[in-house]
Amino acid sequence: MNVRRSAAVLAAVAVIGAATPAAADPSPSPSQAFPSALYGGTDPKYDGVWRQSLALLAQDTVGVKPAGKSVEWLARQSCEDGSFAAYRPDPTAACDAKTMLDTNATAAAVQALTALGGHDDVTGKAVGWLKSVQNKDGGWGYSPGGASDTNSTSVVVGALAAAGEKPDQVVKDGKSPYDALLKLALPCGGDDDGAFAFQPDKKGGLVANADATAAGVLGSLGKGMVVEPGKKSEATCEKAATPQQAAANGAGYLTAALTEDGGHLMSALAGAEPQPDYGNTADAVVALAAQGATAQAEKSVRWLEKNSAEWAAQSGPAAYAQLIFAAHATGTNPRDFGGADLVKQLSATGPAPQTAEKTKAADEEKEDSGSDFFGVWWYVGVCLVAGIGIGFLFTGRKKKQQP
């Protein structure tokens, strides 16, 4: 779960093990007219649905109601069969054999639209499509029919759970997603014991991958992108006979990796100097919090507070969303994240949320009142009306929590 959708597409084609956050593209030229409902100003070809889904889900998580047109844009990205591509410039055109369908985008859209509510027809079809492309080992690849990988399987598990499905009962040839994840978990006893691999290598071996491990912990716990802190637990590596033990083992690996590198993870691109990996660190915080390894999660979120501002500004809405998820998972205030208001920064990358629009309209009406005295009584009147209708005002949207 990262802001590296272009790299994920390459992974689906070249079957690479991991990818790092892509640098922000230059601002679009006037000839590049991207949808006004879309969050972010860079080319959405590889990550439009993904970053929109994360942005909307993050806003919902902090009690912000997104702009209606942004939600509708996401819903209209779905194909007739319920699947989503990474981005469709013309959602009125029917999907065909050339449309590059994307399990990750589909699963992210399900998590966002389920949380927001009102799109059961879209999410129902999407879940049905995800089930239809499940692999025989119980998992999913980035593209339908591709070899199962930890990241894709885990984000689909999150979508199934968000939609009210029981992931262990979503099976293909008797195999569930948890069976697939257990096969991608490294055994105890080695240098990387407890980690998850992205996929087996060409020889069938498993190579530890921190990004995949963060995803694998959440998937094994049956969790999506938004989590509450789990019950505090000590991570000791034992034979992973259950997905819960695999999650505990993975949390132990992440804790060791974060401790070794000073509270954050490092990227490791071939031929490049290792650098702090902010996105994967944020994902690791969420995974550790969900597992109950809260001490390390809190240490790492403090590091993110001090060091992630530049990365988030360059990477855009999905990065802000990841930081909001990490803040939420650790009880950190996303509106005062190292002195930054992540909610405001995220909202600034797209259409103004409905809550902000309403506040602005109220302020403008107050300014147009003509006098301070009248303004006071206007305010009192509004409060009286609000008091009369309070029962109706607070029976609206219920924020859905992850199971």
Side-chain angles (χ1 to χ4, degrees):
M1 196 265 291
N2 286 304
V3 281
R4 42 109 174 101
R5 308 301 298 156
S6 58
V9 173
L10 294 175
V13 177
V15 195
I16 62 173
T20 57
D25 294 334
S27 299
S29 65
S31 62
Q32 293 177 293
F34 300 141
S36 63
L38 183 66
Y39 278 78
T42 58
D43 192 340
K45 182 176 181 180
Y46 296 119
D47 75 338
V49 168
W50 179 265
R51 76 193 193 203
Q52 189 84 345
S53 298
L54 267 65
L56 300 181
L57 182 58
Q59 287 183 323
D60 180 79
T61 299
V62 295
V64 173
K65 189 172 184 180
K69 69 177 184 179
S70 293
V71 179
E72 287 307 311
W73 180 89
L74 178 60
R76 293 182 67 231
Q77 283 287 302
S78 64
C79 297
E80 180 61 30
D81 63 1
S83 62
F84 283 73
Y87 171 68
R88 293 201 295 138
D90 181 8
T92 64
C95 300
D96 55 27
K98 295 182 180 180
T99 305
M100 295 183 64
L101 304 180
D102 178 347
T103 61
N104 289 227
T106 303
V110 168
Q111 293 192 46
L113 292 173
T114 300
L116 293 165
H119 292 87
D120 291 350
D121 54 336
V122 176
T123 57
K125 281 187 176 183
V127 168
W129 180 80
L130 288 169
K131 290 180 178 180
S132 75
V133 297
Q134 186 178 17
N135 291 332
K136 291 182 179 180
D137 62 4
W140 285 266
Y142 178 84
S143 300
S148 297
D149 67 75
T150 298
N151 297 61
S152 299
T153 300
S154 296
V155 73
V156 172
V157 167
L160 295 172
E165 299 280 344
K166 295 182 178 180
D168 63 334
Q169 296 180 13
V170 177
V171 297
K172 184 72 170 288
D173 289 0
K175 300 292 185 180
S176 78
Y178 297 133
D179 293 310
L181 289 174
L182 286 173
K183 284 190 174 181
L184 291 165
L186 276 70
C188 300
D191 292 337
D192 298 318
D193 54 355
F196 283 82
F198 177 75
Q199 286 178 331
D201 60 24
K202 294 181 179 179
K203 296 182 180 180
L206 299 178
V207 179
N209 183 293
D211 178 20
T213 302
V217 170
L218 286 179
S220 297
L221 292 172
K223 302 292 185 180
M225 300 179 192
V226 180
V227 305
E228 303 296 332
K231 184 178 179 181
K232 289 187 178 181
S233 62
E234 295 295 330
T236 56
C237 196
E238 299 178 9
K239 182 178 179 180
T242 65
Q244 291 77 17
Q245 185 59 52
N249 294 349
Y253 169 83
L254 288 175
T255 298
L258 288 163
T259 301
E260 180 180 350
D261 290 322
H264 60 88
L265 297 174
M266 299 291 291
S267 65
L269 280 180
E273 287 291 328
Q275 296 182 359
D277 194 326
Y278 305 95
N280 285 345
T281 299
D283 294 343
V285 167
V286 175
L288 289 174
Q291 170 59 27
T294 54
Q296 183 58 57
E298 290 170 0
K299 290 179 182 178
S300 293
V301 84
R302 299 287 87 80
W303 181 88
L304 286 169
E305 281 188 296
K306 295 178 181 178
N307 298 282
S308 64
E310 183 178 353
W311 165 77
Q314 291 178 345
S315 300
Y320 287 122
Q322 284 178 275
L323 294 176
I324 288 173
F325 297 149
H328 177 80
T330 55
T332 303
N333 183 2
R335 291 179 171 84
D336 185 13
F337 194 81
D341 187 338
L342 296 176
V343 180
K344 183 178 180 179
Q345 291 173 328
L346 170 60
S347 297
T349 67
Q354 292 186 44
T355 46
E357 291 171 348
K358 290 178 180 178
T359 300
K360 181 179 179 181
D363 289 342
E364 290 175 348
E365 185 173 349
K366 184 176 180 180
E367 290 174 1
D368 292 340
S369 62
S371 72
D372 293 339
F373 177 82
F374 182 80
V376 170
W377 286 104
W378 172 86
Y379 179 80
V380 172
V382 170
C383 291
L384 289 173
V385 173
I388 295 171
I390 196 71
F392 298 99
L393 290 174
F394 289 96
T395 56
R397 176 181 60 80
K398 292 182 179 179
K399 180 182 175 184
K400 296 187 178 180
Q401 302 291 337
Q402 299 295 329

